[in-house]
Amino acid sequence: MNTTTVPNQNILFCDYYKQWINVYKEGAIRPVTMKKYNMAYQWLLRLVPQLRICDLDRISYQKLLNDYALIHERQTTMDFHHHLKCAILDAVDEGLIARDPTRKAIIKGKQPREKKTKYLNQYELHKLIEDLDLTNRINTDWLILLVAKTGMRFSEALALTPKDFDFSHQTLSISKTWDYKGNGGFLPTKNQSSVRKIPLDWQTVIQFADLLKDLEKDKPIFINKKIYNSTINSALERHCKNVNIPIISMHGLRHTHASILLFAGVSIASVARRLGHSNITTTQKTYLHIIQELESKDIDIIMRSLSNLNS
C-alpha cells in the first residue's frame, strides 16, 4: 500500500500563502519587508478568499492582478506580483499547482499620481535652513538640518547617539537604524553598505559638539518619545511654506543632498558611498535625470575643448 503523503491541493491559496510567509520569511527578512508580505496576504483575503490553490491558473491569477491594479499604481501592482510569485513557484515545485500561473503575467495599474518635487536646488535649501529654529538644545529642526547636511535615511538619523559623532576626525558613524514604524529600539542598517562613516563639515561639527556635550553617550539624541515620520514631515512642510519653496519630505532632503553633490561635480561613486547605496547602479537609477542633465553639460565642455585643438 502506498503511504506517500499527498499534498493538500484543496488548501485555499490565501492559507497556503500565509503558511509560506510564516515558514520561509518570518525572522529571515527585515520587519518592514515582512509587513509588505503580510499586506499582500490581507489583499488575498479581500480579493480571492475562496480560491483553492489547485484552481490557481493563468486566468485566475491574471484576474487577481487586474482586480488589485484597479486601485493601485502599476509599480505597486508589480511589487504585489513579486511578493506572490515566490510562494506560487514553491507550490508548483510541491505539485500543488500543475503549471506556473505567473508566466507571462500582464502588470497593469492606475495612472501614477502627479509626483511631488523630490529635491530642492541649492538656493532653495539655503532658504529652508535659514528658516530653521536652531536653538541651543536638540529639537526637530536640528534633525532636519543634519539630514540635509549628510543625506542620511530618516531611520538612520533617529538612531544616532552622541558616541556616533567623531568630532576630532569630523565624521559620523552610521551603524544602526531606529524602529520608528514599530515599537522603537535599534535595528540593523538596510544593508551592509549602509554601515559607513560620513564626513562632516566643520560648521556642523562645532554645532553638534556643543549640543551633545552633556547628553548620555548611548542614548538616541532625537528620541524622547514615540516619533512619527508624518510629524517631522509636517514640520518640514511648514518651513517650506514659510519661505515659499517646493514642499518636500524628509526623504526629499536625502535626494536634495545627493543632487547638490552631483551638480557640484562629486563622482557618482562618492555619492553612492555617502548615501549607503549597495551599488552605484542604485544611485544611477535614482538620479538618472540629474546624470543626463550633467552629461549634456559635459558634451558642451567636450566640444569646446576639442574645438580648441584646431591647428
Side-chain angles (χ1 to χ4, degrees):
M1 180 178 176
N2 187 358
T3 58
T4 304
T5 301
V6 178
N8 182 10
Q9 294 181 317
N10 291 318
I11 187 173
L12 295 175
F13 177 37
C14 54
D15 290 343
Y16 175 83
Y17 184 72
K18 179 63 174 175
Q19 182 184 73
W20 183 84
I21 59 177
N22 287 343
V23 171
Y24 293 104
K25 296 300 179 181
E26 185 75 56
I29 55 178
R30 299 170 71 235
V32 65
T33 308
M34 188 64 186
K35 284 183 179 180
K36 294 176 181 177
Y37 279 95
N38 282 322
M39 182 61 69
Y41 167 67
Q42 293 300 324
W43 276 104
L44 291 182
L45 289 177
R46 179 173 173 177
L47 297 174
V48 287
Q50 300 302 319
L51 178 63
R52 297 183 305 170
I53 199 159
C54 62
D55 295 328
L56 186 60
D57 54 17
R58 283 187 62 196
I59 292 178
S60 61
Y61 184 70
Q62 186 65 59
K63 185 178 182 302
L64 167 62
L65 290 182
N66 291 349
D67 290 344
Y68 184 85
L70 288 174
I71 49 176
H72 294 91
E73 293 181 15
R74 187 178 184 280
Q75 184 56 56
T76 309
T77 305
M78 178 69 79
D79 294 340
F80 179 65
H81 165 62
H82 285 155
H83 283 122
L84 299 181
K85 185 174 181 177
C86 293
I88 291 171
L89 292 179
D90 277 356
V92 173
D93 289 344
E94 293 169 23
L96 298 176
I97 304 173
R99 296 183 183 87
D100 176 14
T102 68
R103 181 173 168 270
K104 295 185 178 180
I106 305 299
I107 307 301
K108 305 174 185 179
K110 290 197 310 178
Q111 189 70 20
R113 291 172 295 177
E114 184 178 345
K115 301 296 182 183
K116 292 184 179 179
T117 303
K118 282 191 173 182
Y119 64 91
L120 304 175
N121 61 37
Q122 192 158 3
Y123 171 72
E124 291 165 340
L125 181 59
H126 275 300
K127 291 184 70 174
L128 170 64
I129 292 175
E130 286 175 357
D131 196 62
L132 297 179
D133 182 21
L134 302 175
T135 65
N136 58 1
R137 298 186 66 180
I138 288 289
N139 60 16
T140 295
D141 285 5
W142 282 112
L143 172 61
I144 292 172
L145 177 70
L146 194 58
V147 171
K149 287 286 192 85
T150 62
M152 283 185 295
R153 298 177 179 93
F154 181 62
S155 59
E156 294 172 342
L158 294 182
L160 290 175
T161 64
K163 73 175 184 180
D164 292 323
F165 290 78
D166 185 345
F167 296 119
S168 60
H169 293 94
Q170 292 188 216
T171 60
L172 180 57
S173 294
I174 307 299
S175 60
K176 56 195 177 304
T177 63
W178 187 260
D179 183 21
Y180 69 93
K181 293 182 178 179
N183 297 319
F186 294 117
L187 290 174
T189 54
K190 185 174 182 179
N191 50 53
Q192 192 55 42
S193 301
S194 297
V195 177
R196 62 201 188 278
K197 290 184 185 294
I198 302 177
L200 298 173
D201 64 277
W202 64 268
Q203 187 177 22
T204 303
V205 167
I206 291 172
Q207 290 171 319
F208 276 84
D210 186 54
L211 285 167
L212 305 182
K213 60 185 178 182
D214 297 324
L215 300 184
E216 293 185 49
K217 298 300 180 185
D218 295 320
K219 288 195 174 181
I221 63 177
F222 294 113
I223 302 292
N224 52 34
K225 59 181 180 179
K226 175 70 175 176
I227 193 165
Y228 298 93
N229 184 270
S230 58
T231 304
I232 309 301
N233 279 334
S234 295
L236 179 55
E237 178 179 346
R238 185 174 65 253
H239 286 300
C240 290
K241 288 180 177 177
N242 286 348
V243 292
N244 195 29
I245 61 175
I247 296 171
I248 62 168
S249 63
M250 288 297 289
H251 197 67
L253 276 183
R254 177 171 160 86
H255 287 310
T256 296
H257 181 80
S259 63
I260 287 176
L261 294 183
L262 289 170
F263 278 122
V266 178
S267 72
I268 297 175
S270 294
V271 173
R273 282 195 297 271
R274 192 168 175 90
L275 295 180
H277 284 165
S278 55
N279 54 62
I280 295 178
T281 304
T282 302
T283 316
Q284 290 173 323
K285 287 181 178 178
T286 306
Y287 302 103
L288 179 62
H289 58 295
I290 296 174
I291 294 168
Q292 288 173 336
E293 188 176 338
L294 291 172
E295 284 177 346
S296 297
K297 292 180 180 179
D298 286 345
I299 291 172
D300 292 338
I301 295 171
I302 292 169
M303 292 303 103
R304 285 199 301 270
S305 299
L306 292 176
S307 65
N308 293 331
L309 296 177
N310 292 336
S311 56

